[in-house]
Amino acid sequence: MGLAKRIIPCLDVKDGKTVKGTNFVNLRSAGDPVEMGKAYSSAGADELVYLDITASHEGRKTFTEIVSRIAREINIPFTVGGGINELADVERLLYAGADKVSVNSAAIRRPQLIDEIAKRFGSQVCVCAIDARHEDGDWYCYLNGGRKRTSHRLLEWAKEAEDRGAGEILFTSMNHDGVKDGYANDILARLADSLSISIIASGGAGKMEHFRDAFLIGHADAALAASVFHFGEIKISELKDYLKKNNINVRI
């Protein structure tokens, strides 16, 4: 059956609280990131992703303290991202207890950052997050939490990230984010079929069938979601039972 597919709750952290929005705006509070992480770990999540969405200097200090608390409280791997611009940032977060780091805007601005992380810490530590929107007939990558369009096209940038040493691609469809109509399965499948590293699907989960389709149609290796988990719309144990019944290999 191959490697088990992973279910990954994502927690966006702002000012020490977990928040969630729609299409990258209209944020609302969802709870304490450490307590939520503990609950997800107990509920059967395979991994967690924490993103510091306001990574100012002061925010970084707060976030590093949160990462340390998370590492003490949970026993599943977790990735952290937001404001990672240099190896010192990676070192700080790994030392605080993170298993992987996610780089996005900084990697587009300076792609060598991926090479440096992979060389120093190993590819398994480096997750390249890509926020992309479908417009003008192609998928274009965005910077700064979805605020600024670049000339980078999704498939080309993902391939470059893989070639530079990224261990995983975390792809968020900005068109689908928070809308709950399903993942961007067509482009997910193209990504998965053109790369040899793991693809994490993000943006669009609204019901259990969407996870199933991300794996079966989108060929994703993992599916990430936020609000459906944060607000109790989908329970991870029930989701995994559902996926198992649909012949998808998951860890129960």
Side-chain angles (χ1 to χ4, degrees):
M1 294 178 74
L3 290 174
K5 303 295 188 181
R6 290 170 286 149
I7 301 299
I8 306 177
C10 179
L11 299 92
D12 291 343
V13 179
K14 180 178 187 288
D15 303 326
K17 294 288 183 189
T18 308
V19 296
K20 183 60 190 121
T22 302
N23 297 124
F24 283 48
V25 294
N26 301 323
L27 301 178
R28 57 178 172 154
S29 178
D32 177 75
V34 180
E35 292 304 314
M36 291 175 73
K38 283 171 65 176
Y40 284 137
S41 180
S42 300
D46 296 296
E47 297 182 19
L48 298 172
V49 170
Y50 285 90
L51 299 177
D52 180 1
I53 62 171
T54 51
S56 65
H57 176 67
E58 202 54 40
R60 284 186 187 187
K61 281 174 58 180
T62 304
F63 190 62
T64 306
E65 290 162 12
I66 291 171
V67 169
S68 297
R69 286 168 53 211
I70 293 162
R72 288 195 297 270
E73 297 288 350
I74 73 169
N75 57 6
I76 57 174
F78 70 100
T79 300
V80 294
I84 295 172
N85 298 299
E86 57 187 4
L87 286 180
D89 297 324
V90 180
E91 205 154 38
R92 171 174 52 85
L93 293 166
L94 293 179
Y95 184 74
D99 298 278
K100 309 177 198 177
V101 295
S102 167
V103 291
N104 190 338
S105 299
I108 290 180
R109 291 195 184 97
R110 193 173 71 84
Q112 295 84 355
L113 179 61
I114 296 174
D115 305 69
E116 292 166 6
I117 295 170
K119 187 175 179 183
R120 173 80 70 87
F121 304 106
S123 288
Q124 78 284 351
V125 162
C126 185
V127 178
C128 182
I130 304 176
D131 300 328
R133 185 187 293 279
H134 187 261
E135 52 197 357
D136 303 329
D138 208 341
W139 286 86
Y140 288 92
C141 303
Y142 273 69
L143 294 171
N144 300 350
R147 294 180 188 90
K148 182 180 177 186
R149 176 172 153 170
T150 73
S151 60
H152 284 60
R153 287 172 168 81
L154 170 62
L155 292 170
E156 293 166 9
W157 171 233
K159 181 70 177 117
E160 181 178 344
E162 177 183 51
D163 291 343
R164 288 182 176 276
E168 291 182 287
I169 299 293
L170 167 51
F171 162 57
T172 300
S173 165
M174 294 174 61
N175 305 75
H176 296 72
D177 178 67
V179 181
K180 300 185 181 179
D181 280 341
Y183 293 93
N185 293 316
D186 291 346
I187 191 65
L188 265 174
R190 289 178 63 194
L191 264 178
D193 295 346
S194 62
L195 303 181
S196 59
I197 57 176
S198 292
I199 307 296
I200 304 169
S202 170
K207 51 189 180 180
M208 294 191 199
E209 291 86 344
H210 296 154
F211 291 86
R212 176 198 66 196
D213 292 347
F215 296 133
L216 296 181
I217 301 171
H219 304 167
D221 299 282
L224 177 145
S227 60
V228 290
F229 296 142
H230 298 345
F231 302 114
E233 295 161 44
I234 295 177
K235 290 187 166 52
I236 291 173
S237 59
E238 293 173 6
L239 172 60
K240 287 193 166 186
D241 286 341
Y242 168 83
L243 293 172
K244 202 82 168 176
K245 286 172 184 164
N246 282 269
N247 299 314
I248 295 166
N249 183 19
V250 289
R251 294 184 192 90
I252 299 292

